Amino acid sequence: MTSPIDAVTVDDATNRSAREMARQRVSWPINLAPASVTYESAGYALLLGEETSIRQAAAYLQERGLDAIALLITEPGTGDAGLDDARLEALLESTQRLPCRTLSPTQRRKLRIQGYLGQFGVSLDDGDTPLDLTLALLGRRHADLILDLGRLPALELELPPPGYRHLSPDAPRWDAELNEFSAMVGEFDKPRYFQINTNLCAHSASGNVGCTRCLEVCPADAISSHKGRIESRIEIDPYLCQGVGSCSSACPTGAIQFRLPEPARQQEAILARLDAYRQAGGTTPVMRFVEATDLDEDVESPAGHLLDVPLEELGNAGHDQWLTALAAGAAEVRIQVHPDLPPTLSAFIDDQIAQAQGILAALDHDPERIRRIQRGDTVTRDALPERLPLAGEPLVLTGEGKRERFEAVLAHLTALGTASGQRYPLPHGAPYGGLEVDPEACTLCFACVSNCPTPALATGDDTPMLSYREADCVQCGLCVEACPEDAIRLVPGFLADPGRTQRQVRHEEAPFCCIRCDKPFASAATIATIKAKLAEHPYFSGEAAARLEMCEDCRVRDVWRDMARDPESQLKV
């Protein structure tokens, strides 16, 4: 553990000057011209809710030029909303030409809304023959906009798609909200926030499903698993994606990368900013990971030792980025949250903090070097760190991939701490852990190796051998699913021992050599298992059973020799 800090030695004026010099020297990286997607809205709107409320909203929107409106009454009336007879009659007259449909309670339960700005599909899910309400009411396959005035939103998503707005009839900003809604006509561009490298994805292999972390942390329901002919693949709908970033931070292999900025550039910027701050004379730096829009909420200038990491969304950084900051010389990391965070994202941040604190504790560092703070809590925001930065050689990030770069961070933190050699528990689903192989059950068929999405599992060269490097394992479970003998078990938890970075033999057997050419091609256990399973197979009956003890080349030669001796044998079934 590092010694506690002496507050008397901290010069806030010097730190403020150093922070400003670091900010000028190291600008935060962004993509100046990111790829984008385009929404096209012609203003065809569908209004849902109680009749009087949606007719009032429709009349207001008509006055602002939104004419292509259809009404869908999804809730029973609650009275005249304070309107006298004359005003109610005028309201009905002004909206009587609008297409309108009333749903029964049974139909309301079957209402389905899918899509996004310019491409909303609204239907009644009646099994094989769903009723297309957009076609029936608007005369087209898609609605451009949906205004939901129901007591509860018909589309229950933490982050609903662009073009869908749920508005309570007694909302304080009723007029402003409707004005914004009526302005959503035309073409709108949005960044394509992510890119996916399917070669790195640990989601599926050989029909088995492994890692699902990105699916579990998206509050916009923009990520889905699509079943192919054999394997499933992860897809992100760029029109539903709102750039929260939790999927990129949760992805253990780097298959999903946020592009504003990319994680590697963000790590480099963290290192550069801390280095510039130190060179300018700054001390006891604390890095605050904060949404860029929240910086405008700072009424008072933060203390001089506080260095900001401005994020597009708070989920754009996870425990790997926070631990990078500590390894690079930050005394503490503070993640600033706010009440408007979607529940899924808030839970994700808590999980990432727990992972980071668990790893720090495993390496004999103070877990409280990483903490969560609230927007507006200036006292906690500006508090001096309780301990000095970890002292040591400068952090150097090596490797191209996310996992390789983070292993450099872990190696640095390990060198600055004390590895106990023990395995420490982490939150469920953390991408760290070991693997056990039952030598009595394992036949060294290597199905686990062919399904492993990382270099964690490997075969031997000439010797039937299964080796394992824990540092590469993301605990996706594909090896467990692929093993035909149920010989593999995952062991979750972070191993605080240098051995996690070393390749170790999990199972090894003497090779079985071909009875014809003497080439080693399998293990003795594998051949014995195959012979037992194929003992009754007609293709390997009689003298042909010897083919099971031949390598692939000699087996083919033996088959062709038999066909040459008896050409008609190939016609036999």
Side-chain angles (χ1 to χ4, degrees), residues 393-407:
E393 296 295 322
L395 172 64
V396 177
L397 295 178
T398 58
E400 296 295 327
K402 175 179 180 177
R403 190 73 174 208
E404 294 89 341
R405 294 169 70 86
F406 187 51
E407 281 303 316

Side-chain angles (χ1 to χ4, degrees), residues 403-404 407 454-457 469-474 500 503:
R403 190 73 174 208
E404 294 89 341
E407 281 303 316
T454 74
L457 289 169
R469 184 174 182 267
E470 183 165 331
D472 293 323
C473 181
V474 297
R500 67 180 295 275
R503 185 161 293 280

Side-chain angles (χ1 to χ4, degrees), residues 8 14 31 47 53 134 139 150 168 184 192 200 233 256 318 352 370 385 390 417 534:
V8 178
T14 299
N31 286 8
L47 276 56
S53 297
T134 49
S168 173
M184 299 174 69
R192 187 182 290 266
L200 298 177
R233 69 183 186 279
I256 301 178
Q352 291 289 294
I370 293 181
L390 298 171
L534 298 180

Side-chain angles (χ1 to χ4, degrees), residues 98-397:
L98 299 180
C100 181
R101 182 186 179 103
T102 301
L103 300 185
S104 67
T106 300
Q107 289 175 323
R108 286 197 293 271
R109 290 191 291 270
K110 297 180 179 181
L111 184 64
R112 297 292 180 267
I113 301 175
Q114 295 177 312
Y116 46 83
L117 176 63
Q119 289 291 319
F120 282 110
V122 182
S123 62
L124 292 179
D125 188 4
D126 282 329
D128 296 334
T129 57
L131 175 61
D132 189 337
L133 292 177
T134 49
L135 184 61
L137 291 171
L138 292 170
R140 61 203 307 264
R141 290 291 181 184
H142 298 100
D144 297 315
L145 302 164
I146 293 181
L147 179 62
D148 188 346
L149 299 174
R151 289 186 294 272
L152 296 176
L155 196 57
E156 296 181 355
L157 290 175
E158 295 176 29
L159 288 180
Y164 174 93
R165 185 160 298 187
H166 176 253
L167 181 62
S168 173
D170 56 356
R173 297 184 64 250
W174 170 273
D175 290 354
E177 293 277 1
L178 290 185
N179 285 336
E180 292 177 9
F181 185 81
S182 65
M184 299 174 69
V185 178
E187 290 191 359
F188 304 88
D189 290 334
K190 183 192 72 172
R192 187 182 290 266
Y193 293 104
F194 297 95
Q195 59 187 15
I196 301 180
N197 184 345
T198 55
N199 293 329
L200 298 177
C201 184
H203 175 57
S204 174
S206 301
N208 299 312
V209 174
C211 178
T212 58
R213 294 177 178 94
C214 60
L215 294 167
E216 297 163 1
V217 299
C218 179
D221 201 28
I223 306 178
S224 56
S225 173
H226 285 259
K227 178 68 176 177
R229 189 172 62 87
I230 297 177
E231 298 181 3
S232 299
R233 69 183 186 279
I234 290 294
E235 289 189 358
I236 300 180
D237 189 327
Y239 293 93
L240 296 179
C241 172
Q242 300 188 39
V244 171
S246 49
C247 59
S248 178
S249 297
C251 180
T253 63
I256 301 178
Q257 283 204 11
F258 188 69
R259 306 173 78 167
L260 298 172
E262 294 175 349
R265 295 179 64 203
Q266 186 164 286
Q267 278 182 307
E268 296 289 353
I270 290 172
L271 268 62
R273 186 161 288 188
L274 282 167
D275 183 58
Y277 176 80
R278 283 191 299 267
Q279 289 185 25
T283 60
T284 63
V286 171
M287 298 215 82
R288 175 175 63 156
F289 286 75
V290 57
E291 291 184 4
T293 53
D294 269 10
L295 296 177
D296 298 332
E297 301 290 330
D298 287 335
V299 179
E300 300 177 2
S301 176
H305 59 273
L306 198 70
L307 307 183
D308 286 330
V309 177
L311 302 171
E312 184 86 7
E313 297 281 352
L314 202 56
N316 297 166
H319 72 279
D320 57 326
Q321 301 275 336
W322 306 335
L323 291 176
T324 296
L326 291 181
E332 282 185 10
V333 165
R334 295 170 187 167
I335 300 98
Q336 181 171 304
V337 300
H338 54 79
D340 300 328
L341 281 180
T344 296
L345 180 56
S346 181
F348 169 75
I349 295 296
D350 286 342
D351 179 78
Q352 291 289 294
I353 291 175
Q355 287 191 41
Q357 291 180 334
I359 292 173
L360 287 174
L363 298 177
D364 197 32
H365 298 303
D366 186 358
E368 291 303 311
R369 285 185 183 271
I370 293 181
R371 64 177 66 179
R372 172 178 175 150
I373 65 173
Q374 296 290 332
R375 174 205 287 168
D377 184 358
T378 57
V379 174
T380 306
R381 180 198 69 185
D382 293 342
L384 286 172
E386 296 181 1
R387 297 189 179 275
L388 291 169
L390 298 171
E393 296 295 322
L395 172 64
V396 177
L397 295 178

